[in-house]
Amino acid sequence: MEKFKRKLFYLGGFDPRGVRFYHQMYREQAESYARLSGERVEVSARRSGPASSARWTVTNHSAGVETDYEFLRWEDLVGKVWIRNPLLLAWRSVATYSAHARHMQFLRMRKLRPGPVITILYPPLLGVLIPLLLALVPALTLSLLMPFWAAALIGIAVSALFSGRLLDKLIVPWLLRFMAYNHSVAADGPGAEMEARLDQFAARIAEEMDGPWDEVIFASHSNGTIYAMSVLRRILELRGDRPLPDNFTVLTLGQVVPVIALRKDARWYHADLKALDDKPFRLVDFSAPPDGAAYHGVHPVHLVSDRCVARVDLLSPRFHLFYDPENYHGGWSNKYEAHFDYLRVGDRLSPVDYVSLTAGRRTIDEAIAQFRTIP
């Protein structure tokens, strides 16, 4: 069997855990894929790559596939702005949501889909209400039995003990950090270090896309989908008059582009998206309607322009078809896990789950054609 060679670039989201976590996650999911498919899949150890990247090789011995996986790193920059102090996070959140109230096009966002609007708005509400209720309820109850000052101290202690755990379970701190970061990016741009990193990513992809590959995929997830559009604009500039290869696909997973694109002050990002409206490229987006942290069915270029000559597919991964009910990440308490199902294999293989797309023999277009046949 002639070997099928794939080059994959992966740009992750706003997550300080970085390459070690994602390499281990991919390895575990590849084991699940191998168990379900009966194919023999091997994931190599990770190694340093060029231009702020890490690399590993995915070999599907049964299907004759070799994928050169390149993880585009920016977790070091995430770590620099990751807010750990809860009081500082609360203070930054006030400034963040004040700016969103002034600049976010909430009416347009709601027309796209109401779920992400709820996801954006509930963290500050719960961040205030939960600690307040956990303090007031025991304080008011105990004030019937003891002096109010003593009851108030006990209420404050109860709130301090339990509110953090409850807020963590509801993903409130992570969402507040996500919103604070994207507020600063919308208002002031990515910053010099991230701009340089995006330049590096674009140069790496442009360097490899004409290589000896049967397929080249530029995949991004969550916050990485925002930057993927800026990287694509840079790639097209580097290519000049040369068209992108037919085997090159931009794959976005759990897209959140409107978080920046619908900020009226994010003019730098509007320019990046507008620069794509007359450029031919292939874009495939998988965003699940039940995922309140992603925008299903949203065409990123149409957020700023009425035209787009690219070939774009906006699809739901239909996770519910591939997970048993007890393992399906639905509901508010599973919001964080649901947002990572794009990178997982379910209880049954999907033609378009992440490992099938990156370790299987089908090209993305072939996988989508197979996926469309599923009733």
Side-chain angles (χ1 to χ4, degrees):
M1 182 187 299
E2 186 177 350
K3 183 177 288 186
F4 182 93
K5 298 183 70 176
R6 176 184 290 114
K7 179 68 182 182
L8 176 77
F9 293 94
Y10 173 80
L11 178 60
F14 184 68
D15 190 342
R17 291 174 296 188
V19 64
R20 181 178 180 181
F21 171 82
Y22 285 92
H23 175 256
Q24 182 60 31
M25 183 181 187
Y26 189 92
R27 177 172 276 174
E28 291 169 355
Q29 298 308 308
E31 290 173 357
S32 296
Y33 171 88
R35 185 175 63 254
L36 292 168
S37 67
E39 298 173 354
R40 187 162 66 92
V41 179
E42 180 182 357
V43 180
S44 75
R46 65 185 187 275
R47 59 193 185 275
S48 296
S52 302
S53 70
R55 295 171 73 176
W56 58 86
T57 303
V58 183
T59 306
N60 187 330
H61 297 280
S62 303
V65 177
E66 185 175 279
T67 298
D68 186 8
Y69 195 115
E70 190 158 339
F71 184 99
L72 303 174
R73 304 184 66 172
W74 65 295
E75 70 269 20
D76 57 320
L77 304 184
V78 173
K80 291 181 180 181
V81 296
W82 190 263
I83 304 171
R84 292 170 175 81
N85 186 309
L87 295 178
L88 178 59
L89 180 59
W91 176 250
R92 292 279 180 85
S93 297
V94 172
T96 293
Y97 279 88
S98 297
H100 280 313
R102 295 194 307 273
H103 300 298
M104 186 64 77
Q105 301 176 62
F106 281 108
L107 291 178
R108 282 193 67 194
M109 182 176 284
R110 187 176 179 185
K111 288 178 182 177
L112 298 178
R113 192 167 157 258
V117 178
I118 297 171
T119 300
I120 287 173
L121 294 179
Y122 87 77
L125 295 176
L126 294 186
V128 172
L129 289 176
I130 286 177
L132 188 61
L133 288 174
L134 286 177
L136 279 178
V137 171
L140 293 175
T141 302
L142 292 173
S143 66
L144 301 174
L145 305 172
M146 61 180 67
F148 183 76
W149 64 267
L153 289 177
I154 293 173
I156 292 170
V158 169
S159 180
L161 280 173
F162 295 105
S163 61
R165 298 176 194 175
L166 185 52
L167 290 171
D168 281 340
K169 184 174 178 60
L170 295 170
I171 320 302
V172 169
W174 180 75
L175 286 169
L176 289 176
R177 293 184 184 103
F178 171 85
M179 294 305 299
Y181 174 73
N182 283 297
H183 153 61
S184 65
V185 169
D188 303 317
E193 286 186 295
M194 191 63 196
E195 290 275 9
R197 198 68 57 89
L198 297 176
D199 289 341
Q200 285 184 326
F201 297 161
R204 271 298 298 148
I205 297 169
E207 179 183 0
E208 289 285 351
M209 62 170 43
D210 291 317
W213 313 107
D214 296 291
E215 182 174 52
V216 180
I217 301 174
F218 173 32
S220 58
H221 174 235
S222 190
N223 221 122
T225 65
I226 294 173
Y227 284 136
M229 300 298 105
S230 297
V231 172
L232 179 58
R233 191 264 296 168
R234 287 167 164 82
I235 292 170
L236 290 163
E237 288 179 352
L238 289 171
R239 299 285 295 184
D241 294 331
R242 291 178 299 158
L244 298 176
D246 291 337
N247 65 345
F248 175 72
T249 301
V250 180
L251 172 66
T252 54
L253 305 167
Q255 186 219 133
V256 294
V257 168
V259 171
I260 299 291
L262 293 185
R263 277 277 297 243
K264 291 179 285 188
D265 56 338
R267 286 177 285 276
W268 69 272
Y269 194 64
H270 300 159
D272 279 357
L273 291 176
K274 188 70 173 65
L276 303 177
D277 71 356
D278 62 345
K279 305 295 192 301
F281 57 89
R282 176 72 170 122
L283 172 66
V284 176
D285 175 70
F286 285 103
S287 296
D291 179 9
Y295 289 84
H296 167 68
V298 174
H299 194 305
V301 177
H302 285 169
L303 292 169
V304 299
S305 176
D306 292 331
R307 67 170 178 170
C308 181
V309 301
R311 186 161 66 98
V312 178
D313 274 322
L314 307 172
L315 302 168
S316 166
R318 305 172 74 191
F319 291 132
H320 64 285
L321 296 180
F322 305 100
Y323 280 89
D324 294 332
E326 63 270 20
N327 297 325
Y328 181 58
H329 291 127
W332 288 93
S333 62
N334 282 320
K335 183 178 293 294
Y336 184 79
E337 293 302 328
H339 197 56
F340 280 82
D341 281 341
Y342 303 99
L343 305 179
R344 295 190 176 107
V345 172
D347 298 301
R348 290 167 294 281
L349 285 181
S350 165
V352 296
D353 66 44
Y354 189 58
V355 180
S356 293
L357 289 175
T358 56
R361 183 86 187 187
R362 298 187 189 97
T363 66
I364 282 188
D365 281 343
E366 290 169 345
I368 290 173
Q370 179 67 27
F371 183 66
R372 292 187 191 276
T373 67
I374 298 173

